[in-house]
Amino acid sequence: MVISIEQGKSVEVRQAAGLYLKNNLRNMFKSMQPAYQQYVKSELLPCLGAADKHIRSTAGTIISVVVQIEGVVGWPELLQALVSCLDSNDLNHMEGAMDALSKVWSPF
């Protein structure tokens, strides 16, 4: 996944790829095979602790779209991952989790 925590591409390219992913997930997530859905979810969670604020924010935006589509019940490991990030001593993880939470539970 291009938005991943991998540092091989510029932040701008990774952020643009993440926003492109978000837009495509809005239309295609429900029609994706469950293994692909799970892959996307598993790649997003590490991005919450990315060193770059823009990547953390983009990951939170994509996470909020997935939750809008299938609800928190459809992603049972999400809440535990967010709690783990909040319990972390790493400011990036804490900030990434707070950003995702603010987007997931903000009024629509």
Side-chain angles (χ1 to χ4, degrees):
M1 173 180 263
V2 180
I3 189 177
S4 75
I5 203 90
E6 171 192 323
Q7 300 295 319
K9 302 288 182 189
S10 73
V11 170
E12 294 82 11
V13 168
R14 292 167 58 210
Q15 184 179 20
L19 295 175
Y20 184 71
L21 173 65
K22 173 200 64 134
N23 292 334
N24 283 309
L25 288 177
R26 282 191 196 278
N27 300 320
M28 303 299 295
F29 192 82
K30 287 185 178 183
S31 64
M32 291 170 59
Q33 293 180 9
Y36 295 137
Q37 292 175 347
Q38 189 58 40
Y39 175 76
V40 169
K41 293 175 191 177
S42 70
E43 290 291 311
L44 283 170
L45 294 177
C47 294
L48 290 173
D52 188 270
K53 178 181 179 178
H54 298 97
I55 300 303
R56 293 191 304 268
S57 178
T58 302
T61 300
I62 300 168
I63 288 168
S64 72
V65 167
V66 173
V67 171
Q68 287 172 12
I69 293 168
E70 66 174 12
V72 178
V73 174
W75 195 349
E77 59 271 13
L78 175 62
L79 291 178
Q80 182 55 50
L82 293 172
V83 168
S84 294
C85 286
L86 291 172
D87 283 342
S88 171
N89 290 327
D90 183 338
L91 185 60
N92 291 336
H93 281 95
M94 291 186 284
E95 188 176 287
M98 289 300 293
D99 180 72
L101 283 167
S102 71
K103 291 173 179 173
V104 168
W105 280 279
S106 67
F108 297 167

